[in-house]
Amino acid sequence: MLKVKNGDLDKLGLLFERHHRPLFGFMYRMTGQRELSEDLVQNVFYRILKYRHTYRGEGEFRTWMYHLARNVIHDNGRTLKRTIRHEEITEQTEWVSGEMATDAPMQKKQEMALLKRAMENLHPESREVLILSKYQELKYHEIAQILDITEGAVKVRVHRAVNQLKNAYLELAN
Amino acid sequence: MMKCGNDKAMITSWLNNEMTAAERALFEQHLAGCPECSAELEATQRVWMMLEEMPSPAASDNMPVRFQAMLESYKESQQKSGSAWGSLVEKIKTIWTAQPGMQLAFSVTVLIVGVAFGWIISNQGASHKEIASLSSQVKEMKEMMMLSLLENPSASERIRGVSYTSEIKKANSEVIEALLATLNNDPNVNVRLVTLEALMQYATESAVREGLVKSISKQESPLVQSALADAMLKLQEKKSVPSFRELLQQKDLNDAVRNKIRQTITELI
């Protein structure tokens, strides 16, 4: 990223190659809309270019990228609604773990649908922290940097989010 | 069941692998003796594992294509607008290249200024030289004209020739010689008087003064003798005194002139 900052813009291609899939996953889980998520990913990388001079090289590029990603989502506005509704994904080829969708027993499929519903109903703040921690595989100290809060606050927030999700799921299941 | 006072956030931290080795050991020790915590951990873990299994769509293949297009257009726009520090230079460059008329105007202006400057410089030099050569030519012509006029048989023409000397500021030896010869030898008194007047303007030159002193004894006309006396007085030429004394020896000297010369001698001494 420092090379990009110093004018070697082609080096951004490497960063895109490395990060665009996880970032797309983040965007999709945050918004539930596939096309929008792709647009948002583009938007993030555009901002990386535009604001490359603000990158200080402190900490990981990843945390800076997610920081920008959150701003992009925030600016998009409509994605910060209290609840989201994931589009129905019918084409199995679109799934990363596609084979599971076909081979999984009926019960498992139902469970997944419920969990998805539970996630959708989660407070955006809780959902975000869960996604960052669980799917983006970010450590608490990284999440703390991205959200600009203390590591202790991240710990509490993640725990609360997990409990909310668990309760919401159990409520739906029973 | 005993109420557990342990921090429940520890469960999530344990699941998230956000614990130090010491913390983990301590928590696992507690877990073994706390059914409440282990039950909660089990429930949470179940949801946690399910989250992992939850599928996500793959990004479409045209994302890298779109990215490259975005990157290229950004680079282009950067080249056009430039970065913060180079924007001014870029702007000038843009204006410069966008308007060939400006380049042409600049070139033409430089050309005109250069030509005008060169013209002024060369012209100044030329005019100086020309004037110098012209004036020297005029001077030569006047001298020639004067000298030839002095040879003229007509007295009025010779006077005209002598009068040219008023336009010759610095006469050369040839001119002075000619004038002195005229003063001494010209048959016409008026010519000689005009010549004397003409020579007076070169009186600062010693050759002229010497010539005038010598001329005193050669003059026979009372008018010229008297004029020379006035001239010597005016120039305060003491060397003329012996010449005047010599003149006084002449017996046929005009009385009026004799008185004037005596007076001149006393004034000069």
Side-chain angles (χ1 to χ4, degrees):
Chain A
M1 182 56 210
L2 286 171
K3 282 183 179 171
V4 174
K5 187 188 177 180
N6 293 328
D8 190 357
L9 300 186
D10 289 325
K11 285 285 185 293
L12 190 68
L14 291 174
L15 290 171
F16 180 83
E17 202 49 51
R18 198 177 301 159
H19 295 289
H20 85 272
R21 285 183 198 88
L23 188 61
F24 171 77
F26 173 71
M27 290 301 188
Y28 180 76
R29 289 193 159 97
M30 285 297 287
T31 66
Q33 295 171 63
R34 190 184 166 138
E35 260 181 55
L36 175 66
S37 297
E38 289 192 2
D39 290 346
L40 294 177
V41 169
Q42 289 289 338
N43 217 323
V44 170
F45 276 92
Y46 177 74
R47 287 196 188 192
I48 288 169
L49 269 180
K50 198 174 166 189
Y51 301 116
R52 64 185 184 279
H53 58 276
T54 66
Y55 179 69
R56 296 186 181 178
E58 296 162 1
E60 263 190 276
F61 165 74
R62 221 153 56 113
T63 54
W64 186 60
M65 182 184 78
Y66 280 110
H67 193 83
L68 291 177
R70 287 185 76 241
N71 290 339
V72 167
I73 292 171
H74 186 267
D75 292 350
N76 196 267
R78 52 192 170 144
T79 55
L80 265 186
K81 285 182 292 188
R82 175 113 177 91
T83 56
I84 57 162
R85 191 88 216 154
H86 278 77
E87 296 163 333
E88 285 305 314
I89 301 164
T90 47
E91 284 183 51
Q92 290 164 0
T93 50
E94 285 184 338
W95 295 83
V96 170
S97 45
E99 76 286 351
M100 188 211 74
T102 45
D103 300 348
M106 203 61 188
Q107 195 204 343
K108 193 103 182 173
K109 272 179 135 179
Q110 279 177 343
E111 278 176 9
M112 283 296 151
L114 288 177
L115 188 66
K116 208 168 87 178
R117 284 270 299 281
M119 270 293 263
E120 285 167 2
N121 292 330
L122 220 54
H123 190 279
E125 210 178 61
S126 300
R127 190 164 65 239
E128 180 180 49
V129 86
L130 268 185
I131 291 167
L132 288 172
S133 166
K134 184 70 195 164
Y135 294 107
Q136 310 314 126
E137 294 172 332
L138 289 159
K139 288 290 174 191
Y140 283 3
H141 74 268
E142 292 172 311
I143 298 169
Q145 277 181 36
I146 294 163
L147 303 183
D148 205 20
I149 56 175
T150 65
E151 206 178 317
V154 175
K155 185 174 146 187
V156 171
R157 212 181 271 189
V158 172
H159 177 70
R160 201 170 54 210
V162 172
N163 274 339
Q164 283 172 355
L165 180 70
K166 185 175 72 185
N167 294 337
Y169 171 76
L170 290 174
E171 217 172 276
L172 290 166
N174 296 327
Chain B
M1 198 185 278
M2 207 176 87
K3 188 78 182 164
C4 174
N6 211 17
D7 183 7
K8 292 287 190 287
M10 297 279 261
I11 295 165
T12 322
S13 299
W14 185 84
L15 283 170
N16 253 337
N17 200 21
E18 289 276 357
M19 278 177 158
T20 64
E23 282 172 338
R24 176 173 288 273
L26 208 69
F27 177 72
E28 281 170 8
Q29 205 179 1
H30 167 79
L31 212 59
C34 180
E36 187 190 325
C37 279
S38 48
E40 198 171 327
L41 182 121
E42 204 183 315
T44 310
Q45 196 171 20
R46 192 162 163 257
V47 177
W48 200 247
M49 299 311 283
M50 279 173 70
L51 273 177
E52 248 165 66
E53 286 171 24
M54 196 150 87
S56 80
S60 72
D61 291 339
N62 72 349
M63 276 196 76
V65 180
R66 277 181 66 190
F67 167 77
Q68 280 302 330
M70 185 271 285
L71 183 61
E72 290 307 314
S73 68
Y74 183 83
K75 271 161 41 180
E76 264 177 47
S77 73
Q78 279 297 96
Q79 278 170 358
K80 273 178 191 162
S81 64
S83 56
W85 62 271
S87 63
L88 189 67
V89 178
E90 291 294 331
K91 210 173 179 179
I92 292 166
K93 272 188 189 168
T94 312
I95 294 167
W96 190 246
T97 47
Q99 298 181 7
M102 255 186 75
Q103 293 182 35
L104 188 70
F106 182 74
S107 307
V108 167
T109 308
V110 166
L111 186 71
I112 287 169
V113 167
V115 166
F117 193 71
W119 185 77
I120 287 163
I121 290 287
S122 64
N123 233 36
Q124 272 185 342
S127 65
H128 276 303
K129 277 183 193 166
E130 272 174 32
I131 287 167
S133 72
L134 262 170
S135 63
S136 76
Q137 276 175 27
V138 167
K139 199 182 154 196
E140 273 173 38
M141 271 172 64
K142 278 179 183 168
E143 285 171 2
M144 270 171 63
M145 202 123 95
M146 192 205 79
L147 292 171
S148 67
L149 280 172
L150 288 178
E151 307 288 328
N152 198 287
S154 161
S156 64
E157 287 299 303
R158 291 202 298 278
I159 288 171
R160 203 155 71 91
V162 172
S163 68
Y164 273 122
T165 54
S166 65
E167 289 172 52
I168 301 168
K169 280 175 185 167
K170 204 172 159 130
N172 57 21
S173 57
E174 202 182 346
V175 170
I176 286 165
E177 250 180 64
L179 284 172
L180 284 170
T182 306
L183 177 66
N184 294 332
N185 307 317
D186 196 277
N188 189 287
V189 174
N190 289 328
V191 172
R192 294 203 300 268
L193 285 171
V194 170
T195 306
L196 179 61
E197 240 183 81
L199 279 164
M200 281 300 283
Q201 57 185 325
Y202 309 121
T204 47
E205 287 190 51
S206 57
V208 173
R209 294 161 89 102
E210 275 172 37
L212 287 175
V213 170
K214 279 178 188 168
S215 182
I216 292 168
S217 58
K218 288 171 184 169
Q219 299 299 334
E220 287 170 11
S221 162
L223 284 171
V224 177
Q225 286 167 341
S226 177
L228 269 170
D230 284 329
M232 290 303 122
L233 199 64
K234 199 178 174 186
L235 298 171
Q236 290 291 306
E237 185 56 72
K238 289 185 166 72
K239 286 174 185 170
S240 66
V241 175
S243 298
F244 281 128
R245 280 189 176 142
E246 203 183 312
L247 195 64
L248 284 174
Q249 305 297 314
Q250 288 181 16
K251 292 190 174 167
D252 54 350
L253 195 66
N254 185 290
D255 285 331
V257 172
R258 194 179 295 270
N259 285 334
K260 187 165 178 122
I261 285 171
R262 277 182 184 150
Q263 205 184 331
T264 304
I265 289 169
T266 48
E267 278 186 44
L268 282 171
I269 292 168

